[in-house]
Amino acid sequence: MKSSSKPLHPLRSWLSIERNQTSHGEKWISALGALIGISVVYQLTHWCFPGGFGNHAGGAILLASMGASAVLVFAVPHGALSQPWAVIAGHLVSAFIGVSCQLMFPEQAWTGALAVGLAVGAMHYLRCIHPPGGATALAAVIGGSDVHALGYHYLLTPVAINVAAILLAGVAFNACFAWRRYPVHLHRRRQQTVSMPSSQRHVDLTQEDFHAAIGQLNSFVDITDENLTELLELAKQHAERDALHPAQIEPGRCYSNGRLGRAWSVRRVSVTPALSGPSADRLVYAVVAGDGIGDIGHATAAELRQWARFEVSLREGGRWDKLGNA
């Protein structure tokens, strides 16, 4: 068996065929969810517009791109490309761009390509990348006379109606399964962060640990094992270049606790000292990112220094970086 599968390994690598560690039950749940989701989209849209759109009985009431959205919402409910903002803005922005391109450059061979290209760029800048949005933009151009006759009404009917239906179906269906809460924020709220002593947290993770963790998630993860472990290794190398705690805490600056996942937090230290407290050197801080965002508290400089791993600054695009790193 080993000798017969060995020649297939290079082909598997070139084609990037990844191991899917989700259970059979999870696979069938995803398939059932997609079936129900598209049925809801069709029935709701048909109920709202039994005669089609704009007095065109042959007008499409169901976007083909909804099939792709169903794959993301029901098969990858915790993926970044599947979340409500990506679905809503990805489709609506792309639809607007597609209609605009068709109105400005009708009957041109390159109009569809222009619409898709502009839609991808817009979704990047608006942080709403949703692959089916490209199909929605293209459909506005190549959808035929019925779709062209809709003009900007295409954004409302069928796009907005279809999007609302697929999201409602996604929230309702995934709510039936505790490990599939959608949107992902609802899933995170259910999870309890387990606090562990630092001596137990400083371990060297292995490839086998990742395989076990992904299997325990029982949800499709849209990243390869190799990329995931490579990111961890780069992060560990990055961390090893820095001290465990900042030399001092200065008002007006931001500090991170250096934790991972839901335990990560960033505090901005105020330039105004606390008005009350057992000591006069207490500093006010606000949690500006991560766990406890929006909270206000106060602590001594020594307490803050013990909590903080390093100073951070906010970069373009909402990314927090260690101070001094590009």
Side-chain angles (χ1 to χ4, degrees):
M1 291 296 291
K2 291 183 179 180
S3 59
S4 61
S5 62
K6 187 174 181 180
L8 297 178
H9 182 73
L11 178 62
R12 181 172 177 263
S13 298
W14 277 100
L15 294 178
S16 297
I17 301 175
E18 293 300 321
R19 298 179 181 87
N20 190 329
Q21 300 191 58
T22 55
S23 65
H24 291 294
E26 176 68 9
K27 294 179 177 69
W28 281 103
I29 288 172
S30 298
L32 178 63
L35 185 156
I36 294 175
I38 293 300
S39 299
V40 169
V41 173
Y42 179 82
Q43 293 297 333
L44 180 60
T45 311
H46 187 72
W47 177 74
C48 292
F49 304 95
F53 302 135
N55 297 321
H56 293 272
I61 64 173
L62 180 65
L63 285 171
S65 55
M66 285 299 115
S69 290
V71 173
L72 291 171
V73 172
F74 295 101
V76 199
H78 298 158
L81 307 182
S82 311
Q83 299 312 300
W85 172 245
V87 178
I88 295 170
H91 278 295
L92 291 178
V93 169
S94 298
F96 176 82
I97 291 173
V99 172
S100 299
C101 289
Q102 172 60 27
L103 292 176
M104 290 187 292
F105 309 107
E107 308 301 329
Q108 299 296 321
W110 44 265
T111 303
L114 177 65
V116 174
L118 291 177
V120 170
M123 286 189 286
H124 256 300
Y125 279 105
L126 294 175
R127 304 180 190 177
C128 60
I129 294 180
H130 188 62
T136 298
L138 185 61
V141 177
I142 67 173
S145 59
D146 287 340
V147 173
H148 296 165
L150 295 174
Y152 286 108
H153 287 291
Y154 174 71
L155 275 70
L156 176 61
T157 55
V159 177
I161 300 297
N162 283 187
V163 166
I166 199 74
L167 286 177
L168 288 173
V171 172
F173 179 83
N174 288 315
C176 298
F177 310 96
W179 66 95
R180 290 175 59 97
R181 294 288 193 266
Y182 178 85
V184 69
H185 177 68
L186 296 179
H187 175 72
R188 289 170 180 161
R189 288 182 61 184
R190 292 188 68 258
Q191 305 300 313
Q192 297 294 326
T193 302
V194 179
S195 179
M196 297 179 64
S198 58
S199 60
Q200 297 181 28
R201 287 191 286 109
H202 292 293
V203 295
D204 195 18
L205 298 180
T206 67
Q207 187 81 16
E208 291 75 14
D209 293 326
F210 274 105
H211 289 165
I214 292 174
Q216 187 176 352
L217 280 177
N218 195 26
S219 180
F220 185 82
V221 180
D222 192 18
I223 185 172
T224 66
D225 292 352
E226 289 76 11
N227 284 341
L228 193 60
T229 51
E230 183 180 1
L231 282 173
L232 175 68
E233 185 60 32
L234 290 173
K236 288 166 62 178
Q237 294 175 13
H238 194 269
E240 288 169 357
R241 298 197 300 263
D242 298 273
L244 290 178
H245 298 283
Q248 59 184 356
I249 298 295
E250 298 186 15
R253 299 192 176 183
C254 299
Y255 299 89
S256 168
N257 63 354
R259 301 286 294 278
L260 293 173
R262 290 182 293 273
W264 171 72
S265 183
V266 175
R267 295 176 178 178
R268 176 181 288 119
V269 181
S270 173
V271 295
T272 305
L275 298 179
S276 61
S279 60
D281 64 343
R282 299 185 75 84
L283 298 172
V284 176
Y285 65 83
V287 182
V288 294
D291 183 37
I293 185 170
D295 291 349
I296 304 294
H298 57 82
T300 65
E303 291 170 341
L304 285 172
R305 182 178 178 276
Q306 182 63 31
W307 173 88
R309 282 285 305 279
F310 39 75
E311 185 178 350
V312 294
S313 59
L314 184 62
R315 302 294 187 186
E316 183 179 356
R319 186 187 71 185
W320 290 92
D321 282 347
K322 294 181 182 179
L323 193 66
N325 293 326

